[in-house]
Amino acid sequence: MATSLQFQITSTARFSSFKTAPSNSTSNSRSITIPSIGRLTSSCCINYHRQPLTAKASLSVELPTTSAKDIDGDSSKILLEVKDLTAVIAETKQQILKGVNLVMREGEVHAVMGKNGSGKSTFSKVLVGHPDYEVTGGTVIFKGENLLDMSPEERSLAGLFMSFQSPVEIPGVSNIDFLHMAYNARQQKLGRPELDPLQIYQIISPKLELVKMDSSFLNRNVNEGFSGGERKRNEILQLAVLGAEVAILDEIDSGLDVDALQDVAQAVNGLLTAQNSVLMVTHYQRLLDYIKPKYVHIMEDGRIIKTGDVSIAKLLDKEGYKAIA
Amino acid sequence: MATSSTTFSHFLPHSISLSLSKPKLHFKTIQPIRATISSNLSDPLVLQIAETFEDSLSLSSSTTTPSLQKLRDTSSQSILSLSWPTVKDEPFRFTDTSFIKTCEIKPVSSIPIPSSSIPSELNDTQFANLVIVDGHVVSSYKISEFPKGVFVGSVNDIDSEVIKKRVFEFVSDFQDGDLFWSLNGIGAPDFTVVYVPSDCKVEMPLHFTFFSSESGDIGSKVLPVSNPRVLVLVEKGGEIEIIEEYFGADENQCYWVNSAMEVLIGEGGKVTHSYIQRQGPNSAHTKWTFVRQEAASTYKVVEISTGGTLSRHNLHVQQVGPDTVTEFSTFHLCVNDQTQDLHSRLVLDHPGGTSQQLHKCIVAHSSGKVVFDGNVKVNRYAQKTDAGQLTRSLLLEPRASVNLKPNLQIIADDVKCSHGAAISDLEADQLFYFRARGIDSKTARKALVLSFGAEVMNQLPHKSLRLKIEDHVKNLLTPVL
Ligand SMILES: Nc1ncnc2c1ncn2[C@@H]1O[C@H](COP(=O)(O)OP(=O)(O)OP(=O)(O)O)[C@@H](O)[C@H]1O
Ligand SMILES: [Mg+2]
């Protein structure tokens, strides 16, 4: 007969950081009192220092930027201007962005490429104000305003959109409710009346067609149980419904099959106008065949080390990063 | 989410097991309580309550069926060794019952109220419905549409000798109850029987709505108590779905509902149980659910508990054959100065069982409290058991508290188990996702809190019920967000 083992398993690990009841406790219960979750509502904190001018001067020699004069003397309106942006991980203070420079004008498509871990997603998230990161230097001007002074929701309402590389699931909140809330936040900002559920459905419905999504996705919870490709489509649906002047698409092509890639690319192209612009983060030239960028930037170790046209991407595709270094 | 697969490093040798061992009682001669009042073991308060219960029932002259008599006799016997629980008793360590104790406990009238005086919301269901007021069935709806052989009604109204015999066999069969279980057995004026014969699959859900007709004004210290009781007996291969819903009075009314349900599921049978506790904020609600599962049977319960100043649910499932499926999903909400307590216990003695337990709670009041003791005991012969347990709590006020004791006890050695517990903040990534789409953090937070219980409420088997309960929860939470 097998020896029987007796185990009493109780969850303890998670509790260790909480206050344990003063007790003559002989059992494994824990009495837990924790502070309220109010801290989550405080806006993220951004440290802002201006870099000394000398540093900037020396940087511009080595690190090309896409400032209009440098490349083709385009004089259309600047939407986003990033200068010497540095950022650290808030918790560990580890530096990830080490001086990023980028200028985007109306009507332009940009692509950012670079090895895994080079900082592309961090750059994207810093731009939309993700609280995991702290800006330590540099400036970001969006439509003439200091972006770094704005809360994440203000940035969104001002017209900056980022589609996440890995969008989170939100159980218990349906896609339609989520879009409804987001749309009404915009209406409110514009001083327009809020829409009721039927009105919002009428706005969403044609956009569903644009991204070729079934309307049944509206009743499902946000991203819950969505496949990789479905999540990406859902991000583009949000972009289509909410609109944006600058859309940052972080690896919108990863996990998509060929047909889905075409659908998504077509949808993005459909949203492009002479007044807005798109920044695509990608690993593959393939996406750039569908959405044609004016500039391709190569990111390495938290900097943009090279900027050029789509030929860089082609070179990269053929010969890898060693061809660029 | 805080699911962690079990590592045995959590081993705590000094844990106290929850079960209180009680001597098995054998009944030869049954004595009325009054005659044994001098017993040393007895708690005078308990005996006094039991006596008032007996007295109130003796006023009603209706004849007592053998099953009801058996219930009263076994309960009277067991109460002799029980005392009023204090925080020194492990099962009540975090649950203060003094609210009941300090009131003048007064049994409700044993005469059923007329059905015309039932609040209309109690009849608001699309399902077959039994309205039980103060423990008496006072009205029913669509019961006649149940398949032939199904019985639903008072134990006094059973015609079939077969059903009478089966009910007598099982009534009050459970030996592991506590004081409240026994008090219910003494005070129940009647009990309701649901009988599903072999291989009968009842399609229409049966909705019980419970209500108390009497209450004391707050401050009067008078606490009318009722003791409703239901026995559900599903024979081999039978299936039924039960919705058990408790309604309450307004915030100025005090009352106590001490309810008990026994569920006996035959081989291959299935019971789906939705238990909704939405009593008034100044009530006490003590509740026992005892379930006995034979081989290959299924028991699934979804509990949504929001009411009462003191609410205690003992949920005890005993497996008596292999290959059972057991699922507990519970959601507790405290928006007032209230305690929500679930003590669940699942004992697996046979191989091949599957069990899943999910417990979630929100405490949104600074003196609100949730107590959860979830014991799953996998005994030696319960090989190939697959047991999972997860509990997540959300505390919205600085001094709100939860006492959690998720507890998987495994004695068998070929067992798959996982469990986890977390006191969560709202997920930061989820909150950011809202903000990145322009939704301010206050609105986002509200949406996330409201959706916290969705995982449990989604388990409710009917959309109409689900929507109603979601609304109810939303109405309670909205003012505090
Ligand atoms: N919140 C964080 N905590 C810890 N490390 C982080 C965090 N965010 C980014 N990093 C680290 O910063 C570096 C850059 O990460 P990032 O996600 O920006 O890379 P990426 O260029 O987007 O890579 P990929 O192509 O794989 O998506 C990585 O080394 C990553 O591990
Ligand atoms: Mg990335």
Side-chain angles (χ1 to χ4, degrees):
Chain A
M1 202 170 76
T3 347
S4 63
L5 299 167
Q6 170 149 10
F7 293 108
Q8 273 255 358
I9 304 151
T10 319
S11 147
T12 51
R14 288 252 165 190
F15 295 164
S16 52
S17 60
F18 297 115
K19 201 174 103 195
T20 307
S23 71
N24 40 357
S25 153
T26 46
S27 97
N28 49 4
S29 303
R30 297 286 185 275
S31 173
I32 297 147
T33 311
I34 64 161
S36 81
I37 57 168
R39 66 182 169 84
L40 282 174
T41 61
S42 63
S43 63
C44 71
C45 126
I46 293 161
N47 292 330
Y48 170 67
H49 308 285
R50 183 170 274 281
Q51 292 266 320
L53 280 171
T54 47
K56 187 186 157 204
S58 68
L59 279 173
S60 64
V61 176
E62 290 168 26
L63 307 172
T65 67
T66 60
S67 122
K69 277 190 198 105
D70 292 345
I71 294 191
D72 61 6
D74 188 346
S75 61
S76 57
K77 200 172 125 196
I78 293 177
L79 283 176
L80 183 74
E81 184 172 23
V82 181
K83 270 192 194 151
D84 304 329
L85 182 67
T86 56
V88 299
I89 295 169
E91 207 172 271
T92 61
K93 306 292 177 224
Q94 184 198 341
Q95 188 169 21
I96 308 293
L97 300 185
K98 300 179 177 170
V100 181
N101 290 282
L102 181 77
V103 175
M104 292 176 73
R105 292 172 182 276
E106 283 183 337
E108 290 178 352
V109 175
H110 292 238
V112 175
M113 303 181 80
K115 291 182 190 168
N116 294 131
S118 56
K120 304 180 298 296
S121 294
T122 303
F123 177 51
S124 309
K125 288 194 263 182
V126 165
L127 288 180
V128 293
H130 198 291
D132 280 0
Y133 309 97
E134 230 171 79
V135 172
T136 50
T139 56
V140 182
I141 306 298
F142 179 59
K143 298 198 297 181
E145 291 195 45
N146 182 358
L147 188 76
L148 300 179
D149 275 350
M150 302 183 205
S151 69
E153 53 269 38
E154 285 167 348
R155 296 178 198 204
S156 166
L157 295 173
L160 182 64
F161 181 94
M162 179 192 64
S163 81
F164 287 79
Q165 185 175 349
S166 328
V168 290
E169 296 188 358
I170 309 187
V173 177
S174 72
N175 233 355
I176 182 105
D177 285 349
F178 185 77
L179 285 166
H180 193 181
M181 274 186 260
Y183 197 89
N184 276 342
R186 278 178 160 59
Q187 291 290 99
Q188 209 174 26
K189 151 102 181 176
L190 296 170
R192 294 189 194 143
E194 298 198 352
L195 301 193
D196 65 30
L198 196 68
Q199 290 170 313
I200 191 77
Y201 183 76
Q202 281 161 353
I203 285 175
I204 294 168
S205 187
K207 311 292 183 190
L208 279 171
E209 280 166 42
L210 188 74
V211 297
K212 303 210 168 110
M213 259 170 91
D214 192 272
S215 62
S216 64
F217 278 92
L218 293 180
N219 289 323
R220 286 176 61 179
N221 291 330
V222 180
N223 295 322
E224 194 181 38
F226 284 25
S227 75
E230 287 163 353
R231 287 183 194 212
K232 302 289 162 138
R233 272 182 212 253
N234 200 37
E235 294 288 286
I236 300 303
L237 174 69
Q238 292 174 5
L239 172 61
V241 171
L242 303 175
E245 274 143 295
V246 171
I248 305 165
L249 311 177
D250 192 356
E251 296 201 22
I252 198 70
D253 52 344
S254 69
L256 292 188
D257 64 42
V258 190
D259 292 351
L261 181 65
Q262 280 188 25
D263 291 348
V264 165
Q266 213 168 29
V268 172
N269 280 326
L271 297 171
L272 266 172
T273 68
Q275 278 74 50
N276 58 18
S277 76
V278 170
L279 179 71
M280 291 182 294
V281 174
T282 182
H283 287 290
Y284 305 107
Q285 206 252 319
R286 199 178 54 161
L287 177 67
L288 310 184
D289 288 342
Y290 295 110
I291 309 173
K292 299 217 160 33
K294 185 167 181 185
Y295 302 108
V296 176
H297 311 276
I298 306 298
M299 188 160 227
E300 191 180 296
D301 191 22
R303 290 185 181 92
I304 287 173
I305 55 148
K306 200 176 177 82
T307 293
D309 63 16
V310 78
S311 64
I312 309 188
K314 294 210 164 96
L315 185 66
L316 204 63
D317 215 36
K318 267 224 281 287
E319 299 178 31
Y321 283 100
K322 63 180 185 308
I324 286 168
Chain B
M1 179 144 327
T3 359
S4 60
S5 60
T6 297
T7 49
F8 292 129
S9 59
H10 290 323
F11 175 54
L12 290 179
H14 54 274
S15 299
I16 288 180
S17 162
L18 183 66
S19 73
L20 290 174
S21 59
K22 239 172 262 139
K24 237 191 166 137
L25 298 173
H26 298 281
F27 308 96
K28 285 280 184 279
T29 50
I30 307 296
Q31 298 166 307
I33 286 171
R34 224 177 275 281
T36 55
I37 200 154
S38 59
S39 161
N40 280 342
L41 288 165
S42 306
D43 174 340
L45 173 70
V46 166
L47 292 182
Q48 189 208 326
I49 298 169
E51 249 179 66
T52 48
F53 284 9
E54 277 192 347
D55 287 349
S56 79
L57 292 178
S58 65
L59 295 176
S60 70
S61 55
S62 65
T63 52
T64 306
T65 61
S67 289
L68 193 54
Q69 195 56 51
K70 180 185 167 192
L71 171 65
R72 289 183 183 160
D73 293 344
T74 53
S75 303
S76 303
Q77 189 66 35
S78 62
I79 209 140
L80 298 176
S81 58
L82 297 172
S83 50
W84 191 268
T86 71
V87 291
K88 292 200 189 83
D89 299 308
E90 179 61 22
F92 285 88
R93 197 147 79 93
F94 299 106
T95 304
D96 183 0
T97 54
S98 57
F99 170 74
I100 300 175
K101 194 181 168 184
T102 55
C103 286
E104 183 198 328
I105 299 165
K106 177 177 157 288
V108 294
S109 154
S110 58
I111 294 128
I113 63 158
S115 59
S116 54
S117 54
I118 308 169
S120 62
E121 61 172 334
L122 301 191
N123 289 317
D124 179 21
T125 178
Q126 65 194 80
F127 310 119
N129 183 217
L130 270 193
V131 179
I132 299 185
V133 179
D134 305 334
H136 299 278
V137 176
V138 296
S139 87
S140 68
Y141 173 64
K142 282 196 190 169
I143 298 295
S144 57
E145 292 177 27
F146 280 133
K148 200 168 156 279
V150 173
F151 175 85
V152 177
S154 160
V155 67
N156 298 318
D157 297 338
I158 305 174
D159 289 330
S160 153
E161 287 306 318
V162 178
I163 300 178
K164 275 187 194 166
K165 197 165 150 270
R166 291 291 276 162
V167 169
F168 185 79
E169 198 180 322
F170 284 110
V171 70
S172 193
D173 190 38
F174 175 55
Q175 306 291 331
D176 253 353
D178 63 3
L179 173 69
F180 298 110
W181 171 264
S182 298
L183 282 177
N184 173 282
I186 294 169
D190 184 1
F191 68 87
T192 307
V193 173
V194 177
Y195 180 84
V196 179
S198 295
D199 297 316
C200 175
K201 299 190 176 16
V202 179
E203 273 175 21
M204 189 171 33
L206 172 58
H207 193 159
F208 283 100
T209 43
F210 291 88
F211 192 73
S212 304
S213 69
E214 292 178 40
S215 57
D217 287 337
I218 195 163
S220 74
K221 286 278 170 192
V222 176
L223 193 69
V225 54
S226 62
N227 293 283
R229 191 176 184 102
V230 176
L231 182 134
V232 179
L233 211 170
V234 175
E235 300 284 14
K236 186 174 171 177
E239 291 185 9
I240 193 163
E241 182 185 330
I242 285 169
I243 300 159
E244 185 186 7
E245 186 171 13
Y246 293 82
F247 284 92
D250 65 37
E251 61 270 20
N252 298 317
Q253 303 297 307
C254 300
Y255 60 95
W256 174 23
V257 174
N258 181 41
S259 182
M261 180 179 270
E262 291 166 284
V263 181
L264 309 148
I265 315 174
E267 190 180 332
K270 181 174 178 182
V271 172
T272 310
H273 185 186
S274 307
Y275 163 55
I276 317 289
Q277 191 275 89
R278 43 194 295 194
Q279 303 266 8
N282 276 303
S283 65
H285 181 85
T286 48
K287 157 88 166 118
W288 266 93
T289 306
F290 169 67
V291 183
R292 182 180 183 275
Q293 282 191 261
E294 290 183 16
S297 66
T298 300
Y299 175 71
K300 292 186 184 179
V301 62
V302 182
E303 169 180 345
I304 312 292
S305 201
T306 62
T309 187
L310 167 63
S311 174
R312 160 71 166 234
H313 184 199
N314 284 288
L315 171 61
H316 190 131
V317 177
Q318 179 71 50
Q319 181 204 40
V320 294
D323 304 319
T324 52
V325 176
T326 311
E327 283 179 22
F328 300 155
S329 309
T330 47
F331 175 55
H332 285 185
L333 175 61
C334 290
V335 296
N336 296 310
D337 172 4
Q338 63 185 145
T339 299
Q340 291 282 354
D341 176 351
L342 173 67
H343 270 62
S344 71
R345 183 166 163 83
L346 168 64
V347 184
L348 296 158
D349 282 319
H350 300 267
T354 304
S355 80
Q356 282 303 328
Q357 177 161 34
L358 171 67
H359 177 262
K360 287 188 128 183
C361 63
I362 298 177
V363 188
H365 191 279
S366 57
S367 39
K369 184 183 198 177
V370 162
V371 180
F372 170 57
D373 187 320
N375 181 270
V376 179
K377 196 164 186 213
V378 185
N379 281 327
R380 174 180 297 190
Y381 297 108
Q383 303 294 356
K384 309 274 184 215
T385 290
D386 183 350
Q389 193 178 45
L390 179 67
T391 168
R392 283 189 69 204
S393 317
L394 192 56
L395 286 84
L396 301 178
E397 282 293 324
R399 291 200 313 284
S401 77
V402 292
N403 295 282
L404 302 176
K405 189 179 172 186
N407 186 339
L408 276 169
Q409 267 178 287
I410 302 157
I411 299 165
D413 51 13
D414 180 12
V415 166
K416 196 174 126 200
C417 289
S418 68
H419 81 147
I423 312 295
S424 11
D425 278 345
L426 294 172
E427 300 282 335
D429 273 350
Q430 294 180 345
L431 204 52
F432 183 70
Y433 196 72
F434 280 86
R435 300 181 71 194
R437 298 297 175 251
I439 302 161
D440 66 85
S441 40
K442 187 161 183 274
T443 310
R445 195 167 160 266
K446 205 165 147 175
L448 285 171
V449 172
L450 286 173
S451 70
F452 186 81
E455 205 181 344
V456 173
M457 288 186 277
N458 285 342
Q459 306 283 323
L460 288 168
H462 289 280
K463 195 170 175 198
S464 62
L465 182 65
R466 201 156 56 229
L467 292 177
K468 187 171 83 168
I469 302 307
E470 278 169 6
D471 252 18
H472 168 67
V473 167
K474 199 171 168 180
N475 289 340
L476 287 171
L477 271 173
T478 304
V480 299
L481 290 176

